[in-house]
Amino acid sequence: MSPNKLQDPALLQALQQVLFTEQVPHMLNSAQSAALCKQLSCSVLELAERMLPLAASFAVTPKSHFNVGAIAIDTQQQLFLGANYELAYGPLTGSLHGEQSAIFNALSHQASSIESLVINAAPCGYCRQFMNELENAKDLQIRFNQQNYRLPQLLPESFGPGDLGITAPLHHLALSDAHKPSDFAKASYAPYSHTQSAMFAYQGDKLLAWSCYIENVAFSPSLSPLLTLLSQLNLNHLSLDKVERFELWEHNDNRFSFKQELQNFAEYSEKPMTHHGYSKT
């Protein structure tokens, strides 16, 4: 984002002094967020609120033209940016919401428990349901329009993982020992279908971004690995021009596949894709 679009020169200057770059960050670690809060004399929540235009600058919205910026804050006071991403072709369901983008960004970096989400617009019901999958959903703080809410206030009498007998809701992804592509697929959070799927974007042999499947108890808000992958590319300032091929890794016994979804996008973007199956070991 250019300085004249940010309209917050103090924040822009502080970011440059702390990060030593003019590039919009996709996350801030604990030390960086603490340094910025000290320099700007603000709290972490206030910092996140000021950074919402930065988060929204990552939005890709060819259909709605409504840019949502969201920032997830974990218990270590790390900030993870996210934005909505819409596919230019196909039905309206081909879209990733800003809150989902921020949450996956946090999960992919093995963040500690997410304690707050700061958003530049009121979250839709779809996103409120997606947030309800988190392990600490009852204590999750949501801030928008300069007001703080707890998720149960925004989603009363909710339907959650416990209603389908899930005793271990979404907390983190099992990435500590992830080395092979199949390891990232196995890290999928899929307690309802037990589906294991992960997508990767490569430039030559260089991995540019990855994603895995995330389910929701209400099924519909489950997170498409394709949309998450495209969001992760965007958050890392990587255009599709950089991508030379896509890969999809899935367990051979999955109840359904994301192969057609990725193939449709590969044809649209004129990028090659390969599909790999694996068995449990």
Side-chain angles (χ1 to χ4, degrees):
M1 172 179 284
S2 62
N4 61 343
K5 289 185 179 180
L6 180 58
Q7 302 295 326
D8 193 340
L11 173 60
L12 184 64
Q13 183 179 20
L15 284 167
Q16 291 173 343
Q17 290 177 354
V18 171
L19 303 179
F20 306 107
T21 178
E22 294 185 2
Q23 195 172 62
V24 178
H26 67 278
M27 67 163 290
L28 296 172
N29 62 34
S30 302
Q32 291 169 335
S33 64
L36 285 167
C37 287
K38 181 178 180 180
Q39 190 162 341
L40 295 168
S41 300
C42 66
S43 67
V44 171
L45 275 177
E46 290 168 338
L47 173 62
E49 199 162 39
R50 290 179 68 169
M51 290 184 64
L52 284 175
L54 289 175
S57 73
F58 287 108
V60 176
T61 55
K63 290 177 177 173
S64 71
H65 306 292
F66 186 80
N67 295 353
V68 176
I71 298 177
I73 305 173
D74 72 356
T75 55
Q76 296 179 12
Q77 305 301 282
Q78 298 183 103
L79 275 61
F80 301 91
L81 280 64
N84 53 331
Y85 194 109
E86 300 168 359
L87 295 176
Y89 65 91
L92 294 178
T93 50
S95 60
L96 176 77
H97 295 226
E99 295 89 331
Q100 293 177 308
S101 172
I103 290 171
F104 185 84
N105 193 16
L107 292 172
S108 69
H109 286 93
Q110 296 187 286
S112 60
S113 182
I114 298 172
E115 64 178 17
S116 301
L117 271 165
V118 184
I119 317 163
N120 67 351
C124 68
Y126 183 99
C127 288
R128 299 179 195 199
Q129 181 62 56
F130 184 78
M131 296 175 202
N132 202 41
E133 195 72 29
L134 294 172
E135 184 179 54
N136 65 328
K138 292 182 179 180
D139 298 316
L140 186 65
Q141 179 174 281
I142 314 296
R143 181 171 177 82
F144 59 92
N145 296 336
Q146 298 183 322
Q147 297 290 325
N148 294 326
Y149 303 87
R150 296 291 179 185
L151 182 58
Q153 293 177 266
L154 304 177
L155 193 67
E157 302 298 327
S158 65
F159 179 71
D163 292 299
L164 290 187
I166 301 303
T167 58
L170 181 58
H171 173 56
H172 63 83
L173 302 179
L175 296 170
S176 57
D177 295 321
H179 302 292
K180 304 186 301 293
S182 58
D183 294 335
F184 290 88
K186 292 174 183 177
S188 298
Y189 171 81
Y192 311 105
S193 71
H194 306 292
T195 296
Q196 298 178 1
S197 297
M199 290 188 186
F200 305 85
Y202 287 93
Q203 183 182 49
D205 293 331
K206 180 182 179 182
L207 175 63
L208 298 179
W210 67 275
S211 67
C212 65
Y213 178 49
I214 307 290
E215 285 189 335
N216 184 269
V217 66
F219 293 5
S220 292
S222 298
L223 201 53
S224 158
L226 171 62
L227 290 164
T228 312
L229 178 66
L230 298 176
S231 173
Q232 285 292 296
L233 283 168
N234 214 40
L235 289 170
N236 284 280
H237 302 277
L238 296 168
S239 70
L240 282 176
D241 293 338
K242 301 278 188 184
V243 179
E244 294 180 358
R245 76 180 191 282
F246 292 99
E247 289 189 4
L248 170 62
W249 286 73
E250 297 185 307
H251 187 265
N252 290 326
D253 295 333
N254 276 357
R255 296 170 67 180
F256 53 84
S257 172
F258 291 98
K259 180 179 179 180
Q260 189 62 56
E261 182 181 30
L262 179 56
Q263 187 170 358
N264 291 343
F265 181 77
E267 292 175 358
Y268 171 81
S269 61
E270 299 182 337
K271 306 286 184 180
M273 66 148 289
T274 54
H275 179 256
H276 303 273
Y278 64 90
S279 300
K280 290 181 181 178
T281 57

